[in-house]
Amino acid sequence: MAALRAAVLVALGLRLGGAGAAVPLVIWHGMGDSCCNPQSMGYIKKIVENKIPGVYVLSLKIGSNLIQDMENSFFMNVNDQVREVCSQLANDPHLKGGYNAMGFSQGGQFLRAVAQRCPSPPMLNLISIGGQHQGSVYGFPRCPGESSHICDWIRKTLDLGAYTQAVQEHLVQAEYWHNPLKEEDYRKNSIFLADINQERGINETYKKNLMALKKFVMVKFLNDTMVDPPISEWFGFYKSGQAKETIPLRETTLYTEDRLGLQEMDKAGKLVFLGVKGDHLHFSEEWFYATILPFLQ
């Protein structure tokens, strides 16, 4: 009977032993959202729990309540947020054997920073759903839901000086603002994205930690009107010095120089590029079950 039970659990993608048999999942929401919104992260948590019996799902909250969590997605230094998350993960006994991670929009690139900076407990698979890995949102086209008044202010602030120290330290979106017309300012002054993308030198630890992932899954929304350019969701970006022509990951210096280990991961079959019809973060439950769920089991 024990052997039969083990075979059944393996077939279901579950682990033996422990209260939480399934591989735990950590999720991080995007801009203007919160950990437990029943229409977004609360919904994702629920459908994962319904499909994977016994799974432990941690939806990250940055702050003591949901309002703070939402506000911090705009105004808390991303490096401080990543440190806070690394501490949460290290102190969560459910995660000590490893976990899968799934980030939505900016949460995707923030979880990549966690993978690069905090290898314990180990992140097994990283799923980035609409994450802007080469930066965004150039032009800051729009903002989600009821946050439009905040976004109007952010646009003005970014236009005035995205790469000034004060803006970089206190405005989340400035920390992954990648202006292709001001590449030198970006490389020199970006306190978050330029660091995790190895723009100022090679941190071998970042590279080693990211390459430890089993799979790095990147989902691009094919009709995205929020991320500019949408190819950033697959690690592509504008050609330097202009804002019209884009190039894919494999033509970027990040890849050709293999500054993050992405070229080696690609050759090993660890990079997965998925496209889904729809605008930013618009997908069906059926698509999620068929396409994303297999990476969580």
Side-chain angles (χ1 to χ4, degrees):
M1 286 298 294
L4 177 60
R5 175 176 176 270
V8 170
L9 288 171
V10 168
L12 292 172
L14 305 178
R15 289 179 173 177
L16 292 173
V23 179
L25 174 64
V26 173
I27 58 179
W28 198 338
H29 63 80
M31 173 178 69
D33 201 356
S34 67
C35 68
C36 310
N37 183 335
Q39 302 300 315
S40 57
M41 295 302 99
Y43 170 74
I44 294 295
K45 183 175 186 291
K46 180 180 178 181
I47 64 174
V48 169
E49 290 171 340
N50 286 342
K51 287 293 183 178
I52 308 178
V55 70
Y56 172 73
V57 181
L58 172 64
S59 186
L60 293 166
K61 179 173 70 173
I62 313 298
S64 59
N65 56 58
L66 301 189
I67 297 298
Q68 285 187 5
D69 189 23
M70 184 275 289
E71 291 177 343
N72 285 335
S73 75
F74 291 109
F75 303 120
M76 182 178 177
N77 186 303
V78 181
N79 295 303
D80 293 338
Q81 292 193 53
V82 170
R83 276 191 288 271
E84 163 64 21
V85 166
C86 289
S87 177
Q88 288 187 33
L89 303 185
N91 290 300
D92 190 328
H94 295 93
L95 307 177
K96 62 183 180 180
Y99 64 97
N100 291 323
M102 181 163 55
F104 296 81
S105 196
Q106 67 184 29
Q109 56 174 301
F110 297 172
L111 279 170
R112 175 165 65 86
V114 171
Q116 291 174 209
R117 294 175 177 176
C118 307
S120 181
M123 185 184 294
L124 306 178
N125 295 302
L126 172 57
I127 302 167
S128 169
I129 299 181
Q132 310 93 333
H133 292 283
Q134 280 277 30
S136 199
V137 268
Y138 182 68
F140 207 74
R142 64 180 180 84
C143 224
E146 299 176 356
S147 306
S148 58
H149 62 291
I150 296 177
C151 295
D152 289 339
W153 178 85
I154 290 175
R155 279 190 200 92
K156 294 175 183 177
T157 304
L158 290 171
D159 288 340
L160 287 172
Y163 297 121
T164 62
Q165 183 176 354
V167 174
Q168 280 288 308
E169 290 180 353
H170 300 289
L171 183 56
V172 166
Q173 288 68 39
E175 295 174 49
Y176 58 87
W177 181 265
H178 188 171
N179 187 337
L181 305 180
K182 297 182 178 180
E183 288 283 358
E184 192 56 38
D185 286 346
Y186 158 70
R187 282 190 290 269
K188 181 179 178 181
N189 298 310
S190 170
I191 66 172
F192 174 68
L193 189 68
D195 175 66
I196 65 168
N197 280 5
Q198 310 271 46
E199 299 281 6
R200 294 187 287 264
I202 306 300
N203 182 325
E204 293 295 341
T205 299
Y206 282 5
K207 186 173 179 178
K208 175 185 176 183
N209 291 343
L210 189 65
M211 290 174 64
L213 290 172
K214 293 181 178 179
K215 294 287 184 184
F216 181 7
V217 181
M218 290 168 271
V219 176
K220 172 187 170 185
F221 291 88
L222 302 179
N223 309 103
D224 206 313
T225 63
M226 185 169 178
V227 175
D228 186 1
I231 200 171
S232 181
E233 297 168 15
W234 282 349
F235 250 113
F237 202 62
Y238 289 116
K239 278 189 173 181
S240 183
Q242 50 84 59
K244 292 184 178 180
E245 186 179 354
T246 61
I247 56 174
L249 167 62
R250 294 182 180 100
E251 294 179 20
T252 65
T253 55
L254 179 69
Y255 185 92
T256 58
E257 296 175 0
D258 210 16
R259 299 201 306 265
L260 268 179
L262 294 173
Q263 183 184 135
E264 192 167 338
M265 293 176 72
D266 191 19
K267 291 177 179 178
K270 290 187 173 186
L271 301 186
V272 180
F273 300 91
L274 300 176
V276 58
K277 293 181 180 179
D279 204 348
H280 194 63
L281 300 186
H282 289 193
F283 57 86
S284 69
E285 190 172 315
E286 292 74 22
W287 174 85
F288 184 86
Y289 287 152
T291 309
I292 299 302
L293 204 65
F295 294 104
L296 303 180
Q297 296 177 313

